[in-house]
Amino acid sequence: MIGSIKETKEILEKYKLKARKSFGQNFLVDSNIINKIVTSAGLTKQDGVIEIGPGIGAMTEVMLEKTKKVLCYEIDSNMTRVLREEINSDDLIIKEEDFLKADINKDLENFVDCERVLVISNLPYYITTPIIFKLLECENRIDEFYFMVQKEVGARLTGKPKTKDYNSLSVLIEYQADAQLLFDVKRNCFYPAPDVDSVIIKLKKVKREYEAKNRGLFVKFVQDVFAMRRKTFINNLLNKYPISRENITTQLRNYGFSETLRAEELTTRELVDMFNVLF
Ligand code: SAM
């Protein structure tokens, strides 16, 4: 089994490799955690899995046992060489490329014979947010995601209004998905151990009954109103948009909000409402 500290060190030694920090390489070496992630997803032999950054294949190996097939994107050719040589399975499709440049919709053709397609990944932390947004924004059949992320990022991704973790990221996730923190993963479950603890989160894509008039502008609006946390909603807006204080105040009052309101007090739905009436 690849996902143990002994075997991970042996494989790295065998291929004369070192974990590359620039690619966010921290390998999972705790088989209980690997099994817990895979079990959480309730995988069956009818399912297909997309894995981003399989590394030397600790999770890949276990997922191949539980599903019909796994398609993985790995940027590092050293890792894909290990995968090809250590995992002998016709059900593994390896894409040696940067996931951020991948054509997911085209690659989904590999899963025509699968009932569901899920994404399960111990993410490279330096590109957590772009990966998540690429997946959520893609119009396709994938709607369930299990991600290992840095603990603080997990708190923000699942943050609720009026808490310290609630920010633009929480809103932009909530706008398109139900987010759930599943469980903690300590830093010593990885080799090499990172400086941070981690969490597993589950995202389930949803279609809300409310919608911003313009998605791109709404994303910018949310980032702008949270830009300076201690500033009021009005002052953050005045900083960025040619819009009058009176106009914003009137709309806030119409919705029963005070002028001193801060963005962190508004739910995603309320932010969508404010965006739609102001722009
Ligand atoms: N899944 C393995 C595990 O759990 O042991 C490795 C996880 S490691 C945190 C992240 C992996 O993502 C590394 O193998 C790294 O090479 C890969 N990676 C980094 N940037 C990537 C990118 N842009 N596209 C695809 N893979 C990437």
Side-chain angles (χ1 to χ4, degrees), residues 152-185:
E152 289 70 22
V153 176
R156 273 181 239 136
L157 290 167
T158 56
K160 297 288 171 254
K162 299 179 188 167
T163 65
K164 73 169 172 39
D165 294 316
Y166 189 60
N167 72 358
S168 55
L169 205 53
S170 329
V171 174
L172 296 173
I173 293 290
E174 166 79 12
Y175 182 61
Q176 47 205 333
D178 285 334
Q180 208 183 333
L181 273 178
L182 295 188
F183 54 90
D184 289 347
V185 181

Side-chain angles (χ1 to χ4, degrees), residues 22-23 50-53 71-76 95-105 107 119 121 123-138 147:
S22 59
F23 283 148
I50 290 181
E51 184 184 12
I52 299 150
L71 181 147
C72 60
Y73 297 96
E74 174 55 65
I75 198 169
D76 185 351
K95 297 263 166 190
E96 189 180 304
E97 65 178 312
D98 177 350
F99 174 71
L100 294 177
K101 297 191 180 140
D103 183 345
I104 313 174
N105 286 344
D107 294 337
V119 178
S121 168
L123 289 176
Y125 290 175
Y126 72 106
I127 43 171
T128 299
T129 317
I131 290 180
I132 294 181
F133 282 100
K134 173 167 177 154
L135 285 163
L136 288 178
E137 280 160 18
C138 222
F147 294 127

